[in-house]
Amino acid sequence: MNVAETVFIDNVPTTETDASPPSVTEQKADEADHVLDTMQTQDFPPPSTAKDQFQEELVIKPLHSGDIYASFQFRTQWDTDFLLGSKVSHYRLFPKSLGQVISKFSVRELHISFTQGYWRTMQWGQPFLPSPPGAELWVWFQDTVTDVDLAWKELTNVLSGIFCASLNFIDSTNTVQPSASFKPLGVGNVTDQRFLRYAVLPREIVCTENLTPWKKLLPCGSKAGLAVLMKSEKLFHSSFHSQALHIRPVCKCKSTSWELRQTLNVVFDLHTSGQGKREWSLFKMFSRTLTEACPLASSSKVYVDITDNPQGELFELSPATPLVSQAVVLGDGRTYSVYDLTDHATFGQTHSLNVLLRWRAAESGEMLRPLLHGERYVAGYGLQTGEIHTLVYNNHPYRAFPVLLLDTVPWYLRLYIHTLTVTSKGRDNKPSYIHYQPSKDRLQPHLLEMLIQLPPNSVTEVTVQFERALLKWTEYTPDPNHGFYVGSSVISALVPSVVAMDTNNTQERPLFSSFFPCKEESTYFMRIYTEPLLVNLPTPDFSMPYNVICLTCTVVAVGYGSLYNLLTRTFQVEEPSQGLAKRLANIIRRLRGVPLLT
Amino acid sequence: MGTAGVSASCINMASCSSLKILTLLSLFLSPTIVETNNIEAKAGQFFSSGHTNNWAVLVCTSRFWFNYRHVANTLSVYRSVKRLGIPDSHIVLMLADDMACNHRNPKPATVFSHKNMELNVYGDDVEVDYRGYEVTVENFLRVLTGRLPPSTPRSKRLLSDDRSNILIYLTGHGGNGFLKFQDSEEISNVELADAFEQMWTKRRYNELLFIIDTCQGASMYERFYSPNIMALASSQVGEDSLSHQPDLAIGVHLMDRYTFYLLEFLEDIHPSSTTNMKDLFKVCPKSQCVSTPGHRTDLFLRDPGSVLITDFFGSVRKVEITTDTINLTAPMVHLEDTRPVRELRTEIQTYMDQLPVAEIIHQVKHTHTTNDNNRCLSPDFNPVHTSGLTPPPKHQVVAFLVADWCCLLPTSGC
């Protein structure tokens, strides 16, 4: 990231005191101060007159199955207005490529995630920020945009160049406009869903080429701070890897400011990364230790979840830290040990921090059962019809709550909506709201949104039958026998909380607990994704044209050729050739002029 | 020459004397003439290649895990080209399948070129421009000729001009006159030759180096007819290019022989080396490669012996050092923020309710009136009238559902 360059250019006029014009503003002088501060590599946070700030966090949460969950959160917050007035041209911490995208396409909110693997809710609990397998992109445009579809198409192409992903495959066949889900996560009053677009590419592969540009958007790049831990060889050797980017306007006192959050969630498996031994450390997970905080960050912290370990009887955490923080996360009060990287004492004598968790007891207690859980699968046999089953579990013993189920099914699975049934506990459960948009062949997918009230301690099953379409032969992918993916269902819910949630949105809280805005104390908002489906469509044998041509030509050649020969061939009698002695005798006789032998 | 002239035509004294003066003068001048010739030669060598920027288009056309070696081939050329100075913005890398994060890969995020996992050519800083299903014949030809849709990002374009030297590397499965893309389509040598001719007429390259590592690769460059193209292939027509060595841990062949020895050759090149193309032609003789590599230089105007490897594989910029001072314009004046700072907004901005249940249930569907799909709703449709009685909200929802479902009737043509 060429942050140093831009800062330096700003600095040039101010060093020459006689050449500097008198109209240099106060803000410029402050920025020059920041330059001097950072160039002297002090680790104080920038003065409060700075208009943008950067925070980074790493949360480490040991899971009950022996795996470990690490979540990086980077937040850049900038008090500026991209969309009104003059063009923004001085970028400091906020990446310029994203700023230009926001102003050019009049984007109000942008959420994009790339995920490899599927989050196993029943074994791992709930993630801080959920994401479906593959690539997911949803965008709220400003109400000044006249042609939302055109802006969406151009935006997906630009993002595919920025993130080296095939997002240009997002077109009208996999884009939907949800009518009730995906309300904006930032501040604002506009909720006209015409300006919302949602698309998911379940087949999208995530690899180092997506991580590289993502890391380059961070102010310190991957050179300082928590981002040095992001080594691709370790990050992709995991059960679950998800990197996401969220841009939204947030509340900051009297004005709005823009927030860019970059999150990276990874779950390391006990057996593949941990070699079966229940001992985790930063070095074992990432093959690196931390040596310094990002100099541009105002706060840089590592949180370790010690809620299940109040007296240290389950695992031992070293190096010891006196800082402890409590937060309400996902409806549960958790306790965290905090390592503050902006404090030099954290790094100790060796100038490196390697957080080590060593398990003492083999047994770990009972995991808090997740209150909401979803599953999805395809039933049926053959290549003509099938049935999609979606199961939503409400594990709360006595509270019922509503969920909003969003299903996007590609056009080549023709859904029979008259067979849609929603049953809970064996009885019919009529949704209080259904929005269905039928598909058009090769133009748009099915969109089904339902608001269902889940009874307490129950399983709700949503089934719908479908028929598989036969595609045109040019529409098949180069490997059609792999199957075709159907994107995950999205289940948005207001889940009752065990502990009172904090509704004060302006207070300083750890980043991982403050993503979804909280309106009420007794419930919190959660979004979960089901598995994507893989269905086989009736696939033709692509070698058949070649086979048919060969066979037909052979039949025609053999059949017609033989018939033609029989009809047109004439037969002539041919004398058998004579032996050698007779031929010599004939030659002598010819010379003598005597009649030849026959 | 001067002395011979003196001896041959020294007939009369006057001409002899003038000729003598001439020879003396020429003797004095010749060292200076030689010296200026030296400077000119040096200058000529300095500007010999005529290019100012370098581009590379590296394409792997094979899909499926057992074609791991083709991805490794392309990535090893990518690595060499990056190491010698061509930046990512000037490289168009097309990989038809993902091997590094493939679930069959025992070491994710790595692609190895040497057995025992010695060299990871995938690295930590790779940018793939076209990947997976995007690698098609159409996209490849569009990249070469520049005819891309206007919304294509810059990293996916070949923005070369008439002073660019372009390296094009293709690998995959091929045959006599064609190269297979992703097991479903193919590009023929005629199409490729026409694409290069289009590039020439549109002035999209100064010189082009074409390397192909497939079976019967020499057939792909037989049909070229545009000037300034040099081509190398890993095998002649009728021969197969063979793979190098399998790795038992990964379970597939890691590299093809020609590219393996090409990589070894390129590892010895550094940005200031003066190795020329004649050494490149000698890479992988028949004893190592089993197939006979071929090359074609008849369309190339310069002598291959004078063409440096770094003219194509590296990005050697020509630097001119000057001692003149240049005055920059007056220092930048930071404009005052003339917009009035809007301290208090007229409406208080708050976070939205993420799941407003009551609002959703009573949501009036604007989508119906704007959706041309809905021919069932007449402009004066009123749910009250269809249901026949004053409906409580429950019936309104039912009426909306009826309205929805009437669109699903096959006869309505929605």
Side-chain angles (χ1 to χ4, degrees), chain A residues 312-327:
Chain A
E313 70 274 2
L314 189 61
F315 59 83
E316 178 202 331
L317 180 64
S318 66
T321 175
L323 298 168
V324 170
S325 149
Q326 305 233 332

Side-chain angles (χ1 to χ4, degrees), chain B residues 68-211:
Chain B
Y68 181 101
R69 58 188 189 278
H70 297 139
V71 173
N73 288 348
T74 316
L75 285 172
S76 51
V77 176
Y78 172 77
R79 184 192 128 79
S80 310
V81 149
K82 247 180 111 157
R83 191 177 53 82
L84 291 171
I86 302 186
D88 269 315
S89 53
H90 283 229
I91 303 177
V92 177
L93 179 62
M94 302 170 84
L95 297 179
D97 200 1
D98 171 61
M99 300 301 167
C101 289
N102 196 317
H103 295 293
R104 286 188 166 101
N105 194 349
K107 299 211 99 200
T110 58
V111 174
F112 292 107
S113 62
H114 289 62
K115 71 174 176 189
N116 298 327
M117 305 185 192
E118 284 166 17
L119 180 61
N120 175 18
V121 288
Y122 195 58
D124 219 7
D125 188 20
V126 59
E127 285 183 22
V128 182
D129 301 305
Y130 287 84
R131 52 186 210 153
Y133 298 132
E134 289 178 294
V135 179
T136 57
V137 173
E138 183 190 342
N139 280 348
F140 175 58
L141 292 176
R142 281 185 185 275
V143 164
L144 286 183
T145 53
R147 298 170 183 256
L148 289 159
S151 51
T152 317
R154 284 178 73 102
S155 58
K156 288 186 167 174
R157 289 180 187 258
L158 179 65
L159 298 165
S160 56
D161 52 27
D162 63 326
R163 292 279 122 227
S164 309
N165 274 11
I166 308 183
L167 165 73
I168 297 184
Y169 178 81
L170 295 174
T171 183
H173 288 286
N176 189 357
F178 67 91
L179 171 64
K180 195 166 69 155
F181 266 71
Q182 296 222 41
D183 209 26
S184 67
E185 51 181 1
E186 59 225 17
I187 184 174
S188 65
N189 49 6
V190 176
E191 281 173 6
L192 197 55
D194 287 340
F196 287 159
E197 176 63 19
Q198 242 192 76
M199 286 173 80
W200 175 253
T201 48
K202 287 171 81 164
R203 303 223 175 286
R204 280 171 68 80
Y205 70 89
N206 173 39
E207 283 168 351
L208 203 129
L209 176 65
F210 175 78
I211 304 182

Side-chain angles (χ1 to χ4, degrees), chain A residues 340-411:
Chain A
D340 190 356
L341 299 179
T342 49
D343 180 9
H344 268 303
T346 322
F347 296 105
Q349 294 285 336
T350 52
H351 296 286
S352 83
L353 173 67
N354 183 19
V355 178
L356 178 66
L357 288 85
R358 199 180 286 120
W359 262 256
R360 290 209 182 98
E363 277 296 310
S364 56
E366 269 296 309
M367 185 179 75
L368 185 72
R369 205 143 162 251
L371 291 176
L372 182 65
H373 173 53
E375 278 175 8
R376 198 179 185 208
Y377 56 90
V378 172
Y381 58 89
L383 286 175
Q384 190 180 7
T385 54
E387 219 174 82
I388 298 181
H389 292 246
T390 311
L391 299 162
V392 186
Y393 294 83
N394 176 1
N395 293 326
H396 201 284
Y398 51 84
R399 292 274 299 268
F401 52 86
V403 296
L404 190 60
L405 177 68
L406 172 76
D407 260 326
T408 311
V409 179
W411 64 267

Side-chain angles (χ1 to χ4, degrees), chain B residues 4 24 98 114 141 149 182 188 220 232 234 238-239 255 320 367 372 375 391:
Chain B
L24 282 169
D98 171 61
H114 289 62
L141 292 176
Q182 296 222 41
S188 65
M220 289 304 284
L232 283 103
S234 59
E239 286 181 349
M255 284 273 271
E320 244 183 64
T367 52
D372 63 346
R375 281 177 274 269

Side-chain angles (χ1 to χ4, degrees), chain A residues 405-521:
Chain A
L405 177 68
L406 172 76
D407 260 326
T408 311
V409 179
W411 64 267
Y412 41 80
L413 296 186
R414 304 186 204 275
L415 296 181
Y416 292 135
I417 289 293
H418 71 280
T419 59
L420 175 70
T421 59
V422 183
T423 49
S424 303
K425 288 183 169 169
R427 283 199 311 260
D428 219 11
N429 180 356
K430 191 179 233 143
S432 9
Y433 169 81
I434 299 183
H435 173 71
Y436 173 64
Q437 189 170 27
S439 68
K440 282 189 201 169
D441 270 8
R442 299 177 180 86
L443 283 180
Q444 68 187 31
H446 298 271
L447 171 68
L448 180 63
E449 271 184 279
M450 296 192 287
L451 183 69
I452 308 171
Q453 193 78 3
L454 298 182
N457 207 15
S458 66
V459 179
T460 305
E461 185 165 348
V462 178
T463 59
V464 61
Q465 289 181 3
F466 65 88
E467 182 191 65
R468 299 170 212 234
L470 187 63
L471 301 177
K472 296 183 184 167
W473 79 297
T474 49
E475 289 172 346
Y476 286 96
T477 55
D479 52 349
N481 289 303
H482 180 88
F484 289 79
Y485 283 88
V486 178
S488 315
S489 295
V490 187
I491 301 171
S492 317
L494 277 176
V495 181
S497 160
V498 174
V499 175
M501 301 291 295
D502 190 355
T503 55
N504 188 359
N505 285 318
T506 54
Q507 203 189 7
E508 278 298 310
R509 276 190 296 176
L511 293 175
F512 57 90
S513 65
S514 63
F515 187 61
F516 288 113
C518 221
K519 290 277 194 177
E520 291 171 41
E521 282 188 350

Side-chain angles (χ1 to χ4, degrees), chain B residues 219-232:
Chain B
S219 62
M220 289 304 284
Y221 61 64
E222 273 172 1
R223 299 294 201 110
F224 291 167
Y225 55 95
S226 318
N228 275 349
I229 300 184
M230 193 188 310
L232 283 103

Side-chain angles (χ1 to χ4, degrees), chain B residues 8-64:
Chain B
S9 61
C10 201
I11 301 169
N12 55 351
M13 285 305 287
S15 59
C16 267
S17 60
S18 62
L19 281 164
K20 272 190 206 155
I21 293 165
L22 274 172
T23 54
L24 282 169
L25 276 172
S26 65
L27 279 170
F28 280 125
L29 286 171
S30 53
T32 52
I33 290 170
V34 168
E35 207 170 300
T36 48
N37 277 341
N38 261 343
I39 293 172
E40 275 180 26
K42 274 194 193 154
Q45 195 187 24
F46 192 65
F47 292 110
S48 63
S49 70
H51 73 281
T52 56
N53 54 70
N54 285 82
W55 286 81
V57 178
L58 311 172
V59 184
C60 161
T61 59
S62 305
R63 176 163 276 274
F64 305 123

